[in-house]
Amino acid sequence: MSKKSNEFLRVMLNFLPSTSNDYKESIENHGVVLETVIIESIIMPEIIKLLSENRNIELIQSIFHYFEEVSNCNDDYLINSIFSVTVLEILGNDTMILGVAQEYMGPKTMQLQLEADRGLGRIR
């Protein structure tokens, strides 16, 4: 796990402290930190819930501000192997959720999300 991906998980746990027990349990069950598993099964369901409720605006804005920072970082592993293939692909799974998410996305996050959808063949 790269230093930046470790930082990403730490920041997400700070945004979503209710996920910390599941995070620890995942590490205990697998013996290692499986970044994509943790993001897909623990972190993203909470973000999807936030977006579907669209009530905790301040938290959503903070998360997506951080996503924009991640989108502009120089860590190819974090962007291409972690962020794009988990966070951005999952956001694109539901057009209603994606529509809400796009209200909060910065320009680089939006660009990477479109690229993720193109990579999956969802859009041309």
Side-chain angles (χ1 to χ4, degrees), residues 8-41:
F8 178 81
L9 290 176
R10 182 182 50 76
V11 171
M12 295 313 300
L13 289 170
N14 286 337
F15 282 134
L16 306 165
S18 64
T19 62
S20 64
N21 286 339
D22 291 336
Y23 173 80
K24 291 173 188 170
E25 189 175 301
S26 174
I27 295 169
E28 288 173 13
N29 290 341
H30 297 101
V32 294
V33 176
L34 298 174
E35 299 121 312
T36 57
V37 170
I38 289 168
I39 294 167
E40 290 173 358
S41 64

Side-chain angles (χ1 to χ4, degrees), residues 58-116:
E58 199 171 297
L59 177 58
I60 296 170
Q61 287 173 333
S62 296
I63 290 170
F64 277 85
H65 177 77
Y66 180 65
F67 285 173
E68 185 68 7
E69 287 179 27
V70 169
S71 297
N72 284 292
C73 81
N74 292 326
D75 188 315
D76 287 338
Y77 175 76
L78 176 59
I79 291 173
N80 298 319
S81 299
I82 303 296
F83 187 66
S84 289
V85 299
T86 57
V87 173
L88 298 179
E89 286 184 7
I90 290 169
L91 288 175
N93 286 345
D94 182 312
T95 55
M96 290 179 61
I97 293 296
L98 179 59
V100 175
Q102 287 173 333
E103 295 174 26
Y104 300 100
M105 285 182 187
K108 185 67 173 182
T109 307
M110 182 84 71
Q111 175 191 343
L112 290 176
Q113 199 288 316
L114 289 171
E115 289 173 12

Side-chain angles (χ1 to χ4, degrees), residues 42-59:
I42 299 169
I43 293 172
M44 286 310 296
E46 291 300 314
I47 292 174
I48 298 299
K49 182 180 175 187
L50 284 168
L51 291 168
S52 68
E53 295 169 351
N54 203 17
R55 284 190 299 216
N56 196 340
I57 305 302
E58 199 171 297
L59 177 58

